[in-house]
Amino acid sequence: VNRQLIHESLVQRLRFTNCKVYNRLVTEIEYGKQTGDIYYDVDARDNLVEDGYGRLVTLNWWYQQLFASLILAILHMGSQFSNFLFCVNLFTETNIKSGTPFNTRVFYVAIFTVGELFLLNKCRLEVNKEWSVKADPEKTGDLIIGSGLNRIDRVVAYASLCFFKFIHLDAIVKDII
């Protein structure tokens, strides 16, 4: 893994707010590798050969990312729960049962179930890829899965990754800790 260090003098000159955009929090920069100049408008720069890139991970930024991810996760889980309740109500609610043909209700539940199973399988496939990369010491090696590790700990880590994929938790939020 190639993790370049930013020179100390550059860090000392770094501003955490950008006065050109109403003193908003700086979340990423580009900097001249040779000159040490700092560029706060990353979108305006397009010279990745001569420029380095840095993401500023501050507690403010982390709270913003975490908040947005939690809101999206809550909305996703709320949507899943409402669809599940609707499937149950198709067969238990008298008004729905009498107004909707049986075949239509079965078809909806079958489509919903197949869709959810497809989504869970897709999550499993993506987690398997991520698992192999993060467990490989040659790549990142951040995930400990050796034979000496308790099976419960491996299963909990795998299930957590699956759940994070299922609720669409942003990778930057998941991997920051």
Side-chain angles (χ1 to χ4, degrees), residues 21-37:
V21 277
Y22 309 106
N23 288 328
R24 293 292 312 265
L25 184 68
V26 174
T27 58
E28 56 187 358
I29 62 165
E30 287 188 12
Y31 58 93
K33 292 178 184 176
Q34 303 299 324
T35 63
D37 294 338

Side-chain angles (χ1 to χ4, degrees), residues 52 87 90 107 125 127 145:
C87 287
L90 283 173
F107 181 73
L125 294 173
V127 165
I145 61 166

Side-chain angles (χ1 to χ4, degrees), residues 96-153:
I96 296 175
K97 282 178 21 180
S98 63
T100 309
F102 181 76
N103 291 341
T104 304
R105 292 181 283 149
V106 169
F107 181 73
Y108 181 83
V109 170
I111 291 294
F112 173 72
T113 304
V114 167
E116 291 304 304
L117 291 174
F118 176 79
L119 178 63
L120 289 171
N121 188 51
K122 181 75 173 150
C123 291
R124 182 188 61 81
L125 294 173
E126 288 182 21
V127 165
N128 287 343
K129 286 183 208 172
E130 186 175 349
W131 187 271
S132 66
V133 169
K134 289 186 176 174
D136 186 354
E138 296 296 319
K139 295 178 182 169
T140 60
D142 292 338
L143 189 61
I144 300 168
I145 61 166
S147 60
L149 184 65
N150 187 307
R151 181 174 173 82
I152 294 171
D153 293 328

Side-chain angles (χ1 to χ4, degrees), residues 1-6 139-142:
V1 178
N2 183 10
R3 295 182 177 155
Q4 297 176 345
L5 297 176
I6 297 177
K139 295 178 182 169
T140 60
D142 292 338

